[in-house]
Amino acid sequence: MNLQLSEEHLMIQKAARDFAQNELKPGVIERDEHQKFPAEQIKMLGELGFMGMMVDPKYGGSGMDTISYLLAIEEISKVDASASVVLSVNNSLVCWGLEHFGSEDQKQKYLVPLAKGEKIGAFCLSEPEAGSDATSQRTTAIDMGDHYLLNGTKNWITNGSTASTYIVMAQTDVSKGSRGINALIIERGMEGFIVGAKENKLGIRGSDTHTLLFNDVKVPKENRIGDDGIGFKFAMKTLAGGRIGIAAQALGIAGGAYELALEYSKVRSAFGKVISQHQAIQFKLADMATEIEAARLLVYKAAWDKDNGHDYGTSGAMAKLYASKVAMEVTVEAVQVHGGYGFVKEYHVERLMRDAKITQIYEGTSEVQKIVIARSVLG
Ligand SMILES: Cc1cc2nc3c(=O)[nH]c(=O)nc-3n(C[C@H](O)[C@H](O)[C@H](O)COP(=O)(O)OP(=O)(O)OC[C@H]3O[C@@H](n4cnc5c(N)ncnc54)[C@H](O)[C@@H]3O)c2cc1C
């Protein structure tokens, strides 16, 4: 057992931390307020190799391990969870899915620009009537011989208006249930593909979440990922890894709020002493630090499982379930440590508290994670 980060890990952690402080922090309050996508920053992150961190360099990626990727997500999430979700979707859902299930042609055509950060990807599973119950896909991809005819609606799609490449799950053969679902690559601009309304959200307001509409979109057969009917398996396998990224996002949000609370507690005075001298505040900081450390170990363990070829379905679900709970608890307490100042935007903690909530919802709600964990422990 080795809990030590390598030199390379520490370098990536520092690079991500510096980027977050220097490039993301300055405009983060304004972007949150105006729901502005961090376009410039995402472009820079792409140039620095953060958009395809785990992708093989032969496909334009950085060829790093999962821990490196999580360290980057964690550091960026301490400051801007709207930026980190863009990275998370591109890295762990779109790039990972294409690299592990896509054909060589699909990798050359779609993965390379995504991994280099020249293009952004989106992962489209959820529908108005199919969220947790993702098997109830109503979007259809009818087999027309040389192409599929795609019809339906996806909602809550991260990178909805900024992506160029969309992986869309759709039902080809209803009689086969989840084995009749396909994963198709859709390009921005295909006829009949419409980017619908943008959501006005509680948190991660800088990310663009949209409804997508598909009206008789002709999708070439070569855009199907993998064999006929593996779309659901593809989505579940991809999400199992994605969850570890969201767990790292939760860890980062908690860590960011904790660091702010710690700093503030040393400079704010009440009753003749800095508030960090009050034991009630000390206990809050002690609880926060302990919970974050416990979450970190679960997140790194899931990453270790993934990098070492072990099953990471359960450890990833545990990491996301626990880290997202910690993110909620720690951010609420960080606002409390700040008193009234925690309730206003300038001090950042209220945003982190709002951002934390999504980590209990997307890529499988906390209840869904418990279903996954229970299934595993019950055998
Ligand atoms: C900001 C944002 C970004 C998102 N990005 C994406 C994206 O990029 N791509 C994508 O495909 N999706 C995305 N999603 C969708 C997200 O994954 C779903 O919202 C989530 O899976 C929950 O589905 P739902 O909203 O339909 O809730 P529902 O499934 O309707 O759940 C409602 C409640 O019921 C609970 N519940 C449901 N079934 C059970 C059960 N069997 N046992 C116990 N409790 C249950 C849930 O846990 C939840 O509390 C995003 C969502 C948001 C809000």
Side-chain angles (χ1 to χ4, degrees), residues 57-185:
K58 76 175 174 188
Y59 297 119
S62 304
M64 293 178 188
D65 62 6
T66 309
I67 295 270
S68 306
Y69 162 61
L70 298 183
L71 289 168
I73 293 282
E74 185 183 341
E75 289 305 321
I76 288 166
S77 304
K78 282 183 181 174
V79 174
D80 190 348
S82 297
S84 71
V85 70
V86 181
L87 256 66
S88 173
V89 167
N90 202 73
N91 275 282
S92 37
L93 299 186
V94 182
C95 286
W96 191 90
L98 280 171
E99 188 171 16
H100 289 82
F101 288 85
S103 67
E104 189 55 33
D105 284 351
Q106 288 168 352
K107 288 179 197 174
Q108 294 299 343
K109 185 169 177 191
Y110 297 109
L111 177 59
V112 171
L114 287 164
K116 286 184 175 170
E118 293 165 359
K119 287 186 175 170
I120 297 177
F123 181 86
C124 315
L125 178 66
S126 300
E127 298 184 2
E129 302 300 327
S132 303
D133 181 10
T135 52
S136 303
Q137 296 286 302
R138 295 196 181 170
T139 297
T140 52
I142 304 302
D143 191 337
M144 307 296 281
D146 65 337
H147 68 273
Y148 289 102
L149 201 59
L150 184 67
N151 277 289
T153 304
K154 295 286 171 184
N155 66 344
W156 311 122
I157 305 306
T158 302
N159 303 339
S161 71
T162 46
S164 305
T165 307
Y166 299 75
I167 300 180
V168 179
M169 267 48 75
Q171 191 85 46
T172 294
D173 187 342
V174 184
S175 71
K176 289 186 181 159
S178 65
R179 289 199 171 88
I181 294 172
N182 278 312
L184 306 175
I185 304 168

